[in-house]
Amino acid sequence: MDKNNIFHVSKLGFGLMRLPEKEGEVDYEHVCRMIDSAMDAGLNYFDTAYVYHSGRSEVAARECLVKRYPRDSFQLATKLPAWCLKTKDDRDRIFDEQLERAGVDYFDFYLLHSLEDGSNYDTYEAFDCFRWAMEKKEAGQIRHFGFSYHGTPELLEVVLDKHPEVEFVQIQLNYADWKNPLVQSGALYEILRSRNIPMIIMEPVKGGTLASLMPELEEKLRAARPEASIASWAMRFVGSLPGIVTILSGMSNDEQMADNLRTFSHFEPLSDAEKALIGEVNEVMFNSPLIGCTACRYCCDGCPSGINIPEIFRILNTIRLYGEEWRSANFYGGLTANGGKAKDCIGCGQCESVCPQHLSIIELLAEASGHLDK
């Protein structure tokens, strides 16, 4: 059975993460207009979180959606953040606050926010959040339970084996991240698809990165489909995949809303030729200037600062290729928690003297430090 059929949500969802603002506050008038456009077009899935817009996104959902439309005409999702949990009592405190903020007495979809290797997942397990969420579901305060995921494929398998009660998983997926070594969207997708677990997709346009490409790449796409926006290619890539419940777009203006509605009003899956073209675009993106480190680790043995140079270069390559600074910084924080940081390089040159690739390691560590040691 295709589990996606149980949810009855629109293929395009409205992510309330990047809402328009005016003078530092959410612009309710603008958000209302965007939500009206979404509802008129048949969108019915709205995604928020406790921490979005410093807690104001759930309130915006109340003011612009909940108060203005019948409760059964839309589905609302929000999330419990591990980093705000200090005791088990915080689970109910935050949940009750979310109900009040959003002006509802239940959430259609409720997620553990940003489950990943290390502290977040450990916190959810330590505070028994999976069982707690199922109790909320039994009480009718949650209709569907899942989690958003930013971890490794290996951990995903572990979590799914341990928690068969999970009904869906939200992952970052787009054509640029399909083989991204930090995101590994392709591997995550294949795991979930093999288990017939419905997926909600976030960052289909990678935070807007795939809405604007290098000129030569945009030219390729426009030549194949002159009337289509660059962003629509990314949306259609995700929309063409089976097993997707809804695709979230964090729209922040009317133009983005209109463009997405054009893409999904008469959705056309990518043709084989278009898939090949996306492959060509990815190939060019992958040929961006990268550090030719082979991870031989000759540089590590004598480093007086204990810097894991190959892993830092892997992170720097990801930044160069994807502009993935936020996730790279998280990975870097874990890597250097008990070891040397890029800024700890003293410029002794020991590493460069033994590098078979003759890399300018001191200079490259300085570049990495500029991105990561902020």
Side-chain angles (χ1 to χ4, degrees), residues 149 169-173 185 188-189 192 199-202:
Y149 192 75
V169 176
Q170 183 169 310
I171 61 170
Q172 177 172 325
L173 192 155
S185 343
L188 300 179
Y189 172 84
L192 294 167
M199 286 167 265
I200 293 171
I201 302 304
M202 56 185 161

Side-chain angles (χ1 to χ4, degrees), residues 143-164:
R143 296 288 172 87
H144 301 292
F145 169 63
F147 56 83
S148 64
Y149 192 75
H150 290 291
T152 61
E154 293 78 14
L155 178 63
L156 181 59
E157 296 266 27
V158 170
V159 177
L160 295 176
D161 285 342
K162 188 173 182 179
H163 295 287

Side-chain angles (χ1 to χ4, degrees), residues 297-307 309 346 348-351 354:
R297 302 189 65 82
Y298 294 163
C299 56
C300 294
D301 293 340
C303 178
S305 299
I307 303 172
I309 296 169
I346 61 173
C348 68
Q350 182 277 336
C351 52
V354 297

Side-chain angles (χ1 to χ4, degrees), residues 311-324:
E311 284 300 300
I312 288 176
F313 285 177
R314 186 163 74 93
I315 296 171
L316 183 55
N317 272 340
T318 299
I319 292 172
R320 286 183 172 190
L321 184 60
Y322 297 99
E324 190 69 50

